Amino acid sequence: NFKDKVRVQEELLEAFRYTPDAGVLVLQMLEGFHGLSGDCNDWRLRKMGRICVMLLRILSVAGVNVSFKAREKALKVALDWKVNLMGDYGNILKALGFIYLVYAFGIVSEFSMDELVEISAVAAVNVEFMQLCRDVGLTDRVPGKAVEFF
């Protein structure tokens, strides 16, 4: 419910802290999002994308340990997601979701900085993106106008 976004995010944050494996839970909720293709103007896809990005963002700040099982599965999802992104660079939510996925599950080192920067350039128009770049360590490598925001 994006009308009461703050309350929902606070409840999710608290729920993730008490969930035995929040990483696995988030991955289950993400199933299918990264592989979806379609019109970026489709409100259902945009809504699903915003929900997925929110879940990944909340997981990244929840301060919970992600299990090895979840990390392994997240890497497989991220590799598939990256392939899917290569043909869909116009989808800001998918690009932002990918970067959050990599960050939230601690798998940044599994990707080259060049790959992350290239994908990050798509998400650079998003307000949350600047802090995420700082967290991931991309600040000095983000190309173009995005650097001006740092």
Side-chain angles (χ1 to χ4, degrees):
N1 182 355
F2 280 92
K3 292 179 183 174
D4 196 3
K5 188 176 172 180
V6 173
R7 183 186 57 78
V8 170
Q9 289 177 7
E10 288 172 356
E11 289 178 9
L12 275 172
L13 186 61
E14 195 65 22
F16 284 172
R17 289 184 178 143
Y18 291 102
T19 301
D21 199 337
V24 169
L25 179 66
V26 169
L27 288 170
Q28 288 172 346
M29 290 185 229
L30 290 178
E31 283 184 15
F33 169 66
H34 67 87
L36 287 177
S37 60
D39 184 2
C40 291
N41 294 320
D42 182 336
W43 68 271
R44 289 174 294 233
L45 290 177
R46 284 195 324 267
K47 185 175 181 178
M48 185 176 183
R50 286 194 316 266
I51 291 168
C52 290
V53 168
M54 180 183 67
L55 290 170
L56 288 165
R57 186 173 50 76
I58 299 293
L59 181 64
S60 73
V61 299
V64 297
N65 289 324
V66 175
S67 70
F68 179 75
K69 175 183 169 185
R71 197 174 316 275
E72 280 186 324
K73 185 172 180 174
L75 180 56
K76 289 177 185 174
V77 169
L79 291 170
D80 288 344
W81 197 321
K82 183 182 83 167
V83 168
N84 185 268
L85 264 174
M86 294 305 164
D88 195 10
Y89 275 127
N91 194 320
I92 296 166
L93 286 173
K94 283 186 182 180
L96 187 62
F98 175 83
I99 299 297
Y100 268 121
L101 173 73
V102 168
Y103 177 62
F105 285 90
I107 55 175
V108 172
S109 63
E110 301 293 329
F111 298 90
S112 76
M113 282 296 157
D114 290 339
E115 288 175 315
L116 295 175
V117 167
E118 187 177 340
I119 293 168
S120 298
V122 174
V125 297
N126 185 284
V127 176
E128 299 171 11
F129 174 75
M130 302 313 152
Q131 182 60 46
L132 181 58
C133 274
R134 285 184 203 102
D135 294 342
V136 174
L138 298 175
T139 306
D140 61 337
R141 301 192 66 178
V142 176
K145 290 192 163 240
V147 175
E148 296 170 11
F149 294 105
F150 293 107

